[in-house]
Amino acid sequence: MQDVVAKSTERRFLKPFSGEAINPPPVWLMRQAGRYLPEYRATRKEAGSFLDLCYNPSLAAEVTLQPIRRYGFDASILFSDILVVPDALGQRVTFAEGEGPRLDPIREVAGLARLSLTNTGEKFGRVCETVSRLRQDLPRETTLIGFCGAPWTVATYMVEGRGSTDQGEARGWAYRDPAGFAQLIDILTEASIVYLTEQIKAGADVIQIFDSWAGSLAENQFQQWVVLPTARIVNALKSAYPHVPVIGFPRGAASQLAHFVEGTNVDGVSCDTSCPLGVMQMVAARGVVAQGNLDPLLLVAGGEALDRRVDEILDAMHGRRFVFNLGHGIVPETAPEHVAQLVERVRRSR
Ligand code: 1CP
């Protein structure tokens, strides 16, 4: 036990979460494993479909480690996808090449009969096997982040059957039949608690909850479908694992961040690109770690524009509880050298 504590205190990533602002700040990037890396594209080919890759512990661990080998990030995020949860619950998910996810949509309560938490064991087990391998294979100073999608965002894919621009079908169901929609959110909340608990048991040091479509909701709907289910997940994890930090990512909801922080009990908030640096400072002043928020397109552009914005973010967050990251995931067009430029710039800051 003492050894475990000694190891974890060496991890720089965890310092802002224990109240210690460090310079340079810890750095990792959302979608740091992915198509911008040639070695990812090679492994992806070998794996077959995208979900085959997510469920193959040896290959999923390999693609998780690729960006760590190249850049030595302070944190590594499990390679998987938020849509593993509906897939494991029994709603078949496919990824059409170049087209994103496809699901057979569930648009009313009767469709929920297709889902069952008791069937998730095998698929969750394969993902957790990846987590255990990673905890063995990662350098000991690298923090391992486990994750899931937030119930609201996962529900939008289950209801729409694909990615959408306005999440209209899900918002419509929530207005038309709030009690029925709440059943779907409850199933996802329960499944997320089980899934994240297993990831922590397998070796995840930190959890991030991705709510990519949180920004499409009205204030009262945000409270009901984002804040309350997230709070349930966070509090369930905290009652069993109080030392495991949980980061929320309510993308597009900068104007509701104070409310999100207060209502969910998260230890950190990942901030999207449109979130003002002043709001990130406010988050940090409340004793919560702010993470973010460089525009992923600046990482495509590179050059001086990239350096200038990295410096602005570092200056604004200097001496505060902060983790350097993007405002959203790395896009496939990104040159790997620009990622190296970014990491070096952050690491050389004082
Ligand atoms: O190989 C490929 O071409 C597949 C591309 C890809 C990758 C690399 C998808 C399909 N998922 C992932 C990995 C992934 N997804 C990770 C791995 C860890 C890392 O960050 O390196 C994570 C955390 C996710 C989370 C995820 N999946 C989110 C939340 C974050 C976000 O991007 O907003 C969402 C919304 C998804 C759904 C999804 N999976 C894949 C795609 C293309 C999408 C988006 C579909 C859409 O709405 O357009």
Short mmCIF file of all heavy atoms in Angstrom, two decimals, residues 28-35 40 44 50 53-54 67 77-83 95 97-101 147 149 153 157 162-164 210-213 249 251 328-329, ligand 1:
data_model
loop_
_atom_site.label_atom_id
_atom_site.label_comp_id
_atom_site.label_asym_id
_atom_site.label_seq_id
_atom_site.Cartn_x
_atom_site.Cartn_y
_atom_site.Cartn_z
N TRP A 28 -1.43 16.83 -21.52
CA TRP A 28 -1.84 15.71 -22.39
C TRP A 28 -2.84 16.29 -23.36
O TRP A 28 -3.27 17.45 -23.18
CB TRP A 28 -2.43 14.53 -21.60
CG TRP A 28 -3.79 14.74 -21.01
CD1 TRP A 28 -4.09 15.45 -19.86
CD2 TRP A 28 -5.05 14.24 -21.50
NE1 TRP A 28 -5.44 15.42 -19.62
CE2 TRP A 28 -6.06 14.70 -20.61
CE3 TRP A 28 -5.44 13.47 -22.59
CZ2 TRP A 28 -7.43 14.39 -20.79
CZ3 TRP A 28 -6.78 13.17 -22.77
CH2 TRP A 28 -7.76 13.63 -21.88
N LEU A 29 -3.21 15.55 -24.40
CA LEU A 29 -4.12 16.09 -25.41
C LEU A 29 -5.25 15.11 -25.69
O LEU A 29 -5.00 13.90 -25.86
CB LEU A 29 -3.36 16.39 -26.71
CG LEU A 29 -2.17 17.35 -26.58
CD1 LEU A 29 -1.47 17.51 -27.93
CD2 LEU A 29 -2.58 18.72 -26.04
N MET A 30 -6.47 15.62 -25.77
CA MET A 30 -7.59 14.74 -26.12
C MET A 30 -7.35 14.18 -27.53
O MET A 30 -6.85 14.88 -28.40
CB MET A 30 -8.90 15.51 -26.03
CG MET A 30 -9.27 15.78 -24.58
SD MET A 30 -10.92 16.48 -24.39
CE MET A 30 -10.53 18.22 -24.42
N ARG A 31 -7.71 12.91 -27.73
CA ARG A 31 -7.44 12.18 -28.99
C ARG A 31 -5.95 12.17 -29.34
O ARG A 31 -5.58 12.27 -30.50
CB ARG A 31 -8.23 12.75 -30.17
CG ARG A 31 -9.71 12.54 -30.11
CD ARG A 31 -10.15 11.28 -30.86
NE ARG A 31 -11.55 11.00 -30.59
CZ ARG A 31 -12.53 11.19 -31.46
NH1 ARG A 31 -12.27 11.61 -32.66
NH2 ARG A 31 -13.77 10.92 -31.12
N GLN A 32 -5.12 12.02 -28.30
CA GLN A 32 -3.68 11.99 -28.57
C GLN A 32 -3.28 10.72 -29.32
O GLN A 32 -2.25 10.70 -29.99
CB GLN A 32 -2.87 12.20 -27.29
CG GLN A 32 -3.06 11.15 -26.21
CD GLN A 32 -2.48 11.58 -24.86
OE1 GLN A 32 -2.27 12.76 -24.61
NE2 GLN A 32 -2.21 10.63 -23.99
N ALA A 33 -4.10 9.67 -29.20
CA ALA A 33 -3.94 8.50 -30.07
C ALA A 33 -4.94 8.68 -31.20
O ALA A 33 -6.08 9.01 -30.95
CB ALA A 33 -4.26 7.23 -29.29
N GLY A 34 -4.53 8.49 -32.43
CA GLY A 34 -5.51 8.66 -33.50
C GLY A 34 -4.87 8.82 -34.86
O GLY A 34 -3.65 8.65 -35.01
N ARG A 35 -5.72 9.14 -35.82
CA ARG A 35 -5.32 9.06 -37.22
C ARG A 35 -4.20 9.99 -37.65
O ARG A 35 -3.61 9.80 -38.72
CB ARG A 35 -6.54 9.28 -38.11
CG ARG A 35 -7.28 7.98 -38.39
CD ARG A 35 -8.43 8.21 -39.33
NE ARG A 35 -9.40 9.11 -38.71
CZ ARG A 35 -10.42 9.68 -39.36
NH1 ARG A 35 -10.58 9.49 -40.63
NH2 ARG A 35 -11.26 10.45 -38.71
N TYR A 40 -0.54 4.80 -35.62
CA TYR A 40 -1.95 4.46 -35.32
C TYR A 40 -2.62 3.90 -36.56
O TYR A 40 -3.30 2.87 -36.51
CB TYR A 40 -2.71 5.71 -34.84
CG TYR A 40 -4.21 5.45 -34.72
CD1 TYR A 40 -4.76 4.88 -33.58
CD2 TYR A 40 -5.07 5.74 -35.78
CE1 TYR A 40 -6.12 4.61 -33.48
CE2 TYR A 40 -6.45 5.47 -35.70
CZ TYR A 40 -6.96 4.91 -34.55
OH TYR A 40 -8.30 4.64 -34.46
N ARG A 44 -4.40 0.33 -36.76
CA ARG A 44 -5.84 0.36 -37.06
C ARG A 44 -6.16 -0.60 -38.23
O ARG A 44 -7.16 -1.30 -38.19
CB ARG A 44 -6.21 1.80 -37.40
CG ARG A 44 -7.57 2.07 -37.92
CD ARG A 44 -8.58 2.20 -36.80
NE ARG A 44 -9.82 2.73 -37.31
CZ ARG A 44 -10.66 2.07 -38.10
NH1 ARG A 44 -10.39 0.84 -38.43
NH2 ARG A 44 -11.76 2.63 -38.54
N PHE A 50 -13.14 -0.45 -36.31
CA PHE A 50 -12.77 0.42 -35.18
C PHE A 50 -13.13 -0.22 -33.84
O PHE A 50 -12.35 -0.20 -32.90
CB PHE A 50 -13.43 1.80 -35.34
CG PHE A 50 -13.20 2.68 -34.16
CD1 PHE A 50 -11.95 3.20 -33.90
CD2 PHE A 50 -14.24 2.97 -33.28
CE1 PHE A 50 -11.72 4.00 -32.78
CE2 PHE A 50 -14.02 3.76 -32.17
CZ PHE A 50 -12.76 4.28 -31.92
N LEU A 53 -10.81 -2.85 -32.72
CA LEU A 53 -9.62 -2.27 -32.07
C LEU A 53 -9.91 -1.96 -30.59
O LEU A 53 -9.11 -2.28 -29.72
CB LEU A 53 -9.19 -1.00 -32.83
CG LEU A 53 -8.03 -0.17 -32.26
CD1 LEU A 53 -6.78 -1.01 -32.06
CD2 LEU A 53 -7.72 1.00 -33.20
N CYS A 54 -11.08 -1.37 -30.33
CA CYS A 54 -11.43 -1.03 -28.93
C CYS A 54 -11.49 -2.28 -28.05
O CYS A 54 -11.20 -2.21 -26.86
CB CYS A 54 -12.77 -0.31 -28.87
SG CYS A 54 -12.77 1.31 -29.64
N PRO A 67 1.39 7.59 -28.50
CA PRO A 67 1.71 9.00 -28.25
C PRO A 67 2.58 9.22 -27.01
O PRO A 67 3.29 10.23 -26.92
CB PRO A 67 0.33 9.66 -28.07
CG PRO A 67 -0.60 8.54 -27.75
CD PRO A 67 -0.04 7.32 -28.39
N ILE A 77 -4.52 8.41 -21.98
CA ILE A 77 -5.95 8.08 -21.87
C ILE A 77 -6.21 6.75 -22.56
O ILE A 77 -5.76 6.52 -23.70
CB ILE A 77 -6.87 9.20 -22.42
CG1 ILE A 77 -8.35 8.86 -22.20
CG2 ILE A 77 -6.59 9.51 -23.90
CD1 ILE A 77 -9.29 10.05 -22.26
N LEU A 78 -6.87 5.87 -21.83
CA LEU A 78 -7.29 4.57 -22.36
C LEU A 78 -7.82 4.75 -23.77
O LEU A 78 -8.66 5.62 -24.02
CB LEU A 78 -8.41 4.06 -21.45
CG LEU A 78 -9.34 2.98 -22.02
CD1 LEU A 78 -8.58 1.68 -22.15
CD2 LEU A 78 -10.55 2.81 -21.12
N PHE A 79 -7.40 3.90 -24.72
CA PHE A 79 -7.98 3.95 -26.06
C PHE A 79 -9.24 3.11 -26.09
O PHE A 79 -9.21 1.89 -25.92
CB PHE A 79 -7.01 3.46 -27.13
CG PHE A 79 -7.57 3.70 -28.49
CD1 PHE A 79 -7.38 4.91 -29.13
CD2 PHE A 79 -8.38 2.76 -29.11
CE1 PHE A 79 -7.96 5.19 -30.36
CE2 PHE A 79 -8.96 3.02 -30.34
CZ PHE A 79 -8.75 4.23 -30.96
N SER A 80 -10.36 3.79 -26.30
CA SER A 80 -11.65 3.12 -26.40
C SER A 80 -12.60 4.13 -27.02
O SER A 80 -12.14 5.07 -27.67
CB SER A 80 -12.12 2.70 -25.00
OG SER A 80 -13.37 2.05 -25.07
N ASP A 81 -13.89 4.01 -26.83
CA ASP A 81 -14.83 5.01 -27.32
C ASP A 81 -16.03 5.09 -26.40
O ASP A 81 -16.37 4.10 -25.74
CB ASP A 81 -15.28 4.67 -28.75
CG ASP A 81 -15.91 5.89 -29.41
OD1 ASP A 81 -15.18 6.74 -29.91
OD2 ASP A 81 -17.15 6.01 -29.37
N ILE A 82 -16.69 6.25 -26.40
CA ILE A 82 -17.86 6.39 -25.53
C ILE A 82 -19.01 5.46 -25.97
O ILE A 82 -19.87 5.15 -25.17
CB ILE A 82 -18.37 7.86 -25.47
CG1 ILE A 82 -18.86 8.34 -26.83
CG2 ILE A 82 -17.29 8.79 -24.95
CD1 ILE A 82 -19.65 9.66 -26.75
N LEU A 83 -18.98 5.01 -27.23
CA LEU A 83 -20.09 4.19 -27.73
C LEU A 83 -19.94 2.70 -27.39
O LEU A 83 -20.80 1.88 -27.74
CB LEU A 83 -20.28 4.41 -29.22
CG LEU A 83 -20.63 5.89 -29.53
CD1 LEU A 83 -20.76 6.13 -31.02
CD2 LEU A 83 -21.92 6.32 -28.82
N PHE A 95 -19.14 1.41 -37.06
CA PHE A 95 -18.46 2.62 -37.54
C PHE A 95 -18.22 2.43 -39.03
O PHE A 95 -17.36 1.67 -39.43
CB PHE A 95 -17.13 2.83 -36.81
CG PHE A 95 -17.30 3.39 -35.43
CD1 PHE A 95 -17.56 2.55 -34.36
CD2 PHE A 95 -17.21 4.75 -35.20
CE1 PHE A 95 -17.73 3.06 -33.07
CE2 PHE A 95 -17.38 5.28 -33.92
CZ PHE A 95 -17.64 4.43 -32.86
N GLU A 97 -16.72 3.30 -42.47
CA GLU A 97 -15.44 3.96 -42.80
C GLU A 97 -15.66 5.39 -43.27
O GLU A 97 -16.43 5.65 -44.19
CB GLU A 97 -14.75 3.13 -43.92
CG GLU A 97 -13.24 3.25 -43.95
CD GLU A 97 -12.57 2.92 -42.62
OE1 GLU A 97 -12.75 1.78 -42.12
OE2 GLU A 97 -11.90 3.81 -42.08
N GLY A 98 -15.05 6.34 -42.56
CA GLY A 98 -15.14 7.74 -42.95
C GLY A 98 -16.49 8.41 -42.68
O GLY A 98 -16.72 9.53 -43.08
N GLU A 99 -17.41 7.70 -42.02
CA GLU A 99 -18.75 8.26 -41.84
C GLU A 99 -19.16 8.41 -40.38
O GLU A 99 -20.24 8.93 -40.10
CB GLU A 99 -19.79 7.36 -42.51
CG GLU A 99 -19.86 7.53 -44.01
CD GLU A 99 -20.97 6.68 -44.59
OE1 GLU A 99 -22.03 6.55 -43.94
OE2 GLU A 99 -20.75 6.11 -45.67
N GLY A 100 -18.35 7.91 -39.46
CA GLY A 100 -18.74 8.01 -38.05
C GLY A 100 -19.69 6.90 -37.63
O GLY A 100 -20.00 5.99 -38.41
N PRO A 101 -20.17 6.97 -36.38
CA PRO A 101 -20.95 5.85 -35.82
C PRO A 101 -22.37 5.75 -36.37
O PRO A 101 -22.98 6.74 -36.72
CB PRO A 101 -20.99 6.20 -34.33
CG PRO A 101 -20.74 7.66 -34.24
CD PRO A 101 -19.93 8.05 -35.43
N PHE A 147 -12.21 6.57 -18.88
CA PHE A 147 -13.27 7.51 -19.25
C PHE A 147 -14.56 6.81 -19.64
O PHE A 147 -14.59 5.59 -19.90
CB PHE A 147 -12.81 8.41 -20.42
CG PHE A 147 -12.80 7.71 -21.76
CD1 PHE A 147 -13.91 7.73 -22.59
CD2 PHE A 147 -11.67 7.02 -22.19
CE1 PHE A 147 -13.90 7.09 -23.84
CE2 PHE A 147 -11.65 6.38 -23.42
CZ PHE A 147 -12.77 6.42 -24.26
N GLY A 149 -18.51 8.28 -21.76
CA GLY A 149 -19.32 9.41 -22.19
C GLY A 149 -20.32 9.71 -21.10
O GLY A 149 -20.75 8.81 -20.37
N THR A 153 -24.76 12.77 -23.47
CA THR A 153 -24.12 12.68 -24.79
C THR A 153 -24.28 11.28 -25.38
O THR A 153 -24.57 11.12 -26.57
CB THR A 153 -22.64 13.10 -24.68
OG1 THR A 153 -22.61 14.52 -24.54
CG2 THR A 153 -21.82 12.69 -25.89
N TYR A 157 -26.52 9.88 -29.11
CA TYR A 157 -26.16 8.94 -30.19
C TYR A 157 -27.15 7.79 -30.26
O TYR A 157 -27.50 7.31 -31.34
CB TYR A 157 -24.73 8.42 -30.00
CG TYR A 157 -23.68 9.47 -30.30
CD1 TYR A 157 -23.15 10.26 -29.30
CD2 TYR A 157 -23.26 9.68 -31.61
CE1 TYR A 157 -22.21 11.24 -29.59
CE2 TYR A 157 -22.31 10.67 -31.91
CZ TYR A 157 -21.80 11.44 -30.89
OH TYR A 157 -20.89 12.41 -31.18
N ARG A 162 -26.83 8.33 -34.80
CA ARG A 162 -25.58 8.82 -35.41
C ARG A 162 -25.23 10.16 -34.77
O ARG A 162 -25.99 10.68 -33.96
CB ARG A 162 -25.80 9.02 -36.90
CG ARG A 162 -26.96 10.01 -37.19
CD ARG A 162 -27.51 9.89 -38.58
NE ARG A 162 -26.44 10.17 -39.53
CZ ARG A 162 -26.49 9.84 -40.82
NH1 ARG A 162 -27.55 9.23 -41.31
NH2 ARG A 162 -25.50 10.13 -41.62
N GLY A 163 -24.09 10.72 -35.15
CA GLY A 163 -23.76 12.07 -34.71
C GLY A 163 -24.74 13.04 -35.36
O GLY A 163 -25.21 12.80 -36.47
N SER A 164 -25.08 14.12 -34.67
CA SER A 164 -26.04 15.08 -35.25
C SER A 164 -25.59 16.49 -34.91
O SER A 164 -24.78 16.69 -34.02
CB SER A 164 -27.43 14.83 -34.67
OG SER A 164 -27.42 15.14 -33.29
N PHE A 210 -16.91 12.56 -20.67
CA PHE A 210 -17.04 13.40 -21.86
C PHE A 210 -18.51 13.73 -22.14
O PHE A 210 -19.29 12.84 -22.47
CB PHE A 210 -16.48 12.68 -23.09
CG PHE A 210 -14.98 12.57 -23.11
CD1 PHE A 210 -14.33 11.52 -22.47
CD2 PHE A 210 -14.20 13.51 -23.78
CE1 PHE A 210 -12.95 11.42 -22.49
CE2 PHE A 210 -12.81 13.41 -23.81
CZ PHE A 210 -12.18 12.36 -23.16
N ASP A 211 -18.87 15.02 -22.02
CA ASP A 211 -20.24 15.43 -22.36
C ASP A 211 -20.19 16.39 -23.54
O ASP A 211 -20.44 17.59 -23.42
CB ASP A 211 -20.94 16.05 -21.15
CG ASP A 211 -22.41 15.66 -21.09
OD1 ASP A 211 -22.94 15.22 -22.13
OD2 ASP A 211 -23.02 15.79 -20.01
N SER A 212 -19.89 15.83 -24.71
CA SER A 212 -19.61 16.63 -25.90
C SER A 212 -20.78 17.49 -26.35
O SER A 212 -20.59 18.51 -26.98
CB SER A 212 -19.21 15.71 -27.05
OG SER A 212 -18.14 14.90 -26.63
N TRP A 213 -22.00 17.06 -26.03
CA TRP A 213 -23.18 17.81 -26.49
C TRP A 213 -23.92 18.51 -25.36
O TRP A 213 -25.09 18.87 -25.50
CB TRP A 213 -24.12 16.88 -27.28
CG TRP A 213 -23.44 16.26 -28.46
CD1 TRP A 213 -23.19 14.94 -28.67
CD2 TRP A 213 -22.87 16.95 -29.60
NE1 TRP A 213 -22.51 14.76 -29.86
CE2 TRP A 213 -22.31 15.98 -30.45
CE3 TRP A 213 -22.78 18.31 -29.98
CZ2 TRP A 213 -21.65 16.30 -31.66
CZ3 TRP A 213 -22.14 18.62 -31.18
CH2 TRP A 213 -21.59 17.63 -32.00
N PHE A 249 -16.31 17.17 -18.63
CA PHE A 249 -16.08 17.94 -19.86
C PHE A 249 -17.42 18.29 -20.50
O PHE A 249 -17.87 17.65 -21.45
CB PHE A 249 -15.20 17.12 -20.83
CG PHE A 249 -14.89 17.81 -22.14
CD1 PHE A 249 -14.80 19.19 -22.25
CD2 PHE A 249 -14.67 17.05 -23.29
CE1 PHE A 249 -14.50 19.81 -23.47
CE2 PHE A 249 -14.37 17.65 -24.52
CZ PHE A 249 -14.30 19.04 -24.60
N ARG A 251 -18.87 20.14 -22.84
CA ARG A 251 -18.42 20.96 -23.97
C ARG A 251 -19.53 21.93 -24.40
O ARG A 251 -20.69 21.56 -24.47
CB ARG A 251 -18.03 20.06 -25.14
CG ARG A 251 -17.32 20.79 -26.27
CD ARG A 251 -16.69 19.81 -27.23
NE ARG A 251 -17.69 19.08 -28.01
CZ ARG A 251 -18.11 19.47 -29.22
NH1 ARG A 251 -17.62 20.55 -29.79
NH2 ARG A 251 -19.01 18.75 -29.85
N HIS A 328 -10.76 20.52 -27.64
CA HIS A 328 -11.46 19.34 -28.16
C HIS A 328 -10.37 18.44 -28.74
O HIS A 328 -9.19 18.76 -28.61
CB HIS A 328 -12.49 19.77 -29.21
CG HIS A 328 -13.56 18.75 -29.46
ND1 HIS A 328 -14.47 18.85 -30.48
CD2 HIS A 328 -13.88 17.59 -28.81
CE1 HIS A 328 -15.31 17.82 -30.44
NE2 HIS A 328 -14.97 17.04 -29.44
N GLY A 329 -10.75 17.34 -29.39
CA GLY A 329 -9.73 16.37 -29.80
C GLY A 329 -8.84 16.81 -30.96
O GLY A 329 -9.23 17.64 -31.79
O1 1CP B 1 -9.82 5.18 -36.38
C1 1CP B 1 -10.72 6.01 -36.60
O2 1CP B 1 -10.81 6.62 -37.66
C2 1CP B 1 -11.78 6.29 -35.58
C3 1CP B 1 -11.75 7.66 -35.03
C4 1CP B 1 -12.03 7.60 -33.53
C5 1CP B 1 -11.07 7.59 -32.51
C6 1CP B 1 -9.58 7.72 -32.62
C7 1CP B 1 -13.31 7.44 -32.93
C8 1CP B 1 -14.60 7.30 -33.64
N1 1CP B 1 -13.13 7.34 -31.56
C9 1CP B 1 -11.79 7.45 -31.25
C10 1CP B 1 -11.16 7.33 -29.92
C11 1CP B 1 -11.77 8.06 -28.80
N2 1CP B 1 -13.05 8.56 -28.73
C12 1CP B 1 -11.14 8.30 -27.57
C13 1CP B 1 -9.76 7.70 -27.27
C14 1CP B 1 -8.81 8.30 -26.42
C15 1CP B 1 -8.10 9.55 -26.93
O3 1CP B 1 -8.57 10.66 -26.67
O4 1CP B 1 -6.98 9.40 -27.48
C16 1CP B 1 -12.03 9.04 -26.77
C17 1CP B 1 -11.82 9.59 -25.39
C18 1CP B 1 -13.23 9.18 -27.51
C19 1CP B 1 -14.44 9.83 -27.00
C20 1CP B 1 -15.56 10.12 -27.94
N3 1CP B 1 -16.07 9.34 -28.95
C21 1CP B 1 -16.37 11.27 -27.85
C22 1CP B 1 -16.20 12.34 -26.79
C23 1CP B 1 -15.15 13.33 -27.16
C24 1CP B 1 -15.41 14.12 -28.41
O5 1CP B 1 -14.66 13.91 -29.40
O6 1CP B 1 -16.35 14.95 -28.42
C25 1CP B 1 -17.35 11.20 -28.85
C26 1CP B 1 -18.44 12.22 -29.15
C27 1CP B 1 -17.15 9.97 -29.54
C28 1CP B 1 -17.99 9.45 -30.65
C29 1CP B 1 -17.18 9.21 -31.86
N4 1CP B 1 -16.29 8.18 -31.98
C30 1CP B 1 -15.65 8.25 -33.19
C31 1CP B 1 -16.15 9.40 -33.88
C32 1CP B 1 -15.74 9.82 -35.26
C33 1CP B 1 -17.07 10.01 -33.02
C34 1CP B 1 -17.80 11.32 -33.27
C35 1CP B 1 -18.99 11.14 -34.12
C36 1CP B 1 -19.70 12.45 -34.41
O7 1CP B 1 -20.59 12.85 -33.64
O8 1CP B 1 -19.37 13.07 -35.42
#
